Amino acid sequence: MAIIWMNETVGYDPGPVNLGVVRLDRDRVLIVDAGLDKGRAGKLVRLLTAEGLRPYGVLLTHHHADHTGGTKRLLSAGAEFVAASPIEASLIRQPILQPYCLSGGAAPLPELTIKFLLPPAAPVDVLLEAGPWQVPGASSAEELQIVDLPGHTPGQIGLRVGDILFCGDAMFPAETWRKYGLTYFADMGQALATLDSLDGLSAALAATITGHGEPARIPTQLIELNRTSIEALVAAVETELATAYSTTGDMSLEEAVQGVCRRLEVEPIDISEHYLHRATVQAVLTHLCRMNRARAHLRGARLGWCPVR
Ligand SMILES: [Zn+2]
């Protein structure tokens, strides 16, 4: 495999997570996301070397291990800085917070400290805000723009280079939705608003490069697929709540997770995946509460969820 170039400046190394490459000058490139581990990042370094290129800096779209685990390998190959949004930077610098979050604030089970959920700590030197970005010590031929893409994680960002947008996990390909059904998003309202803003940008884009799957030459189709899939997830939770309301009156979070998995014909392969499903269903419940379509109430020590009638 080699780096796939979309134009003279922008390319990517396809893999389980696509790693972006932005040419800054004759031999220096900015890397977008670092991959799961040093093996994945090392493969990119070899591809770059074969083309006479070297990593100058790393932009991390969000804190997840499959996007950040290879950061140190890129630093050891000469990258001089790591850039991320302020929220994501906190979780990248202190990755143990990631399994703590997934565990609802409690010390995590060993199943939540596997390499997919707990990357090695990485330094973040540059904090990024939305807007034009001048890479320190370099000047790209194309204007670089940081784009806020919250929802999958609270501080996810994308990088726009001319008419190409690296958009991390703001959208997933059809295979991911088919395979996982309960695809992880931390905030459904933000995720949908991010899809709206991508819709607004799409006329000016030749392609989006997502973290997973192939680049989308017609981003509007991928945006629509993700909107429909998130809405289907919200509808599945709402249907479960309505069913519970007419039988037992309410349901616990665990019951909601079980019901939604049954409805979507998804079975978690292990405890780690259960926790991801749990967080996603909780994100939908929070979303429904914010829209006044669901509410939480306490019955003694039991927290129950039901629709607003
Ligand atoms: Zn992710």
Side-chain angles (χ1 to χ4, degrees), residues 62 64 66-67 152-153 156 169 172 184 212:
H62 65 294
H64 287 160
D66 54 342
H67 295 253
H152 176 63
T153 62
Q156 179 173 248
D169 289 355
F172 289 94
Y184 176 81
H212 306 270

Side-chain angles (χ1 to χ4, degrees), residues 288-300:
L288 289 171
C289 285
R290 285 174 177 166
M291 293 189 300
N292 203 31
R293 279 156 51 184
R295 65 189 171 86
H297 64 154
L298 273 176
R299 262 198 215 157

Side-chain angles (χ1 to χ4, degrees), residues 227-238:
R227 188 181 285 123
T228 310
S229 304
I230 291 177
E231 282 167 358
L233 194 51
V234 173
V237 174
E238 227 169 358

Side-chain angles (χ1 to χ4, degrees), residues 254-273:
E254 293 296 332
E255 288 162 347
V257 174
Q258 264 187 326
V260 171
C261 282
R262 208 167 29 231
R263 190 167 291 279
L264 298 176
E265 297 177 6
V266 174
E267 202 157 305
I269 51 164
D270 53 25
I271 288 177
S272 324
E273 196 167 82

